[in-house]
Amino acid sequence: MTKALISVTGLDSTGIIARVATKLSEMNINILDITQTILGGYFTMMMVVDLDGAHLRFDEIDRELQPVRDELKMTIHIQRMDIFDAMHRI
């Protein structure tokens, strides 16, 4: 299974989770785990997702998230989980 970590941060507003989840679903990306909180009016969310169902390369997935970034005015980062895990083993 090819996993990725997606982080979403920015000012809180209605529909953030729905919009991001909808875009991931459109790309056939499954959400495996999710956590979110609001800190002083700032929304933060972390998702672990399964990329195996997506028929896009990693860079294409990142590019497909750009309209969501623009629409929500949020920072959205996607990182391959194997790289994330390797960075935190040191």
Side-chain angles (χ1 to χ4, degrees), residues 41-66:
Y42 289 91
F43 177 88
T44 60
M45 176 170 63
M46 301 287 283
M47 303 171 123
V48 176
V49 299
D50 176 6
L51 303 178
D52 285 348
H55 301 291
L56 299 167
R57 293 186 324 260
F58 188 83
D59 62 315
E60 293 171 322
I61 293 168
D62 188 44
R63 196 170 25 255
E64 288 291 318
L65 290 170
Q66 189 58 48

Side-chain angles (χ1 to χ4, degrees), residues 10-74:
L11 289 175
D12 187 33
S13 64
T14 303
I16 297 168
I17 297 171
R19 183 65 185 97
V20 174
T22 297
K23 186 60 180 179
L24 294 175
S25 176
E26 290 170 358
M27 294 186 286
N28 204 36
I29 295 173
N30 188 36
I31 299 168
L32 301 173
D33 201 358
I34 182 172
T35 185
Q36 64 89 30
T37 192
I38 299 167
L39 302 168
Y42 289 91
F43 177 88
T44 60
M45 176 170 63
M46 301 287 283
M47 303 171 123
V48 176
V49 299
D50 176 6
L51 303 178
D52 285 348
H55 301 291
L56 299 167
R57 293 186 324 260
F58 188 83
D59 62 315
E60 293 171 322
I61 293 168
D62 188 44
R63 196 170 25 255
E64 288 291 318
L65 290 170
Q66 189 58 48
V68 180
R69 291 180 185 101
D70 295 341
E71 175 188 334
L72 297 175
K73 297 177 178 61
M74 304 288 282

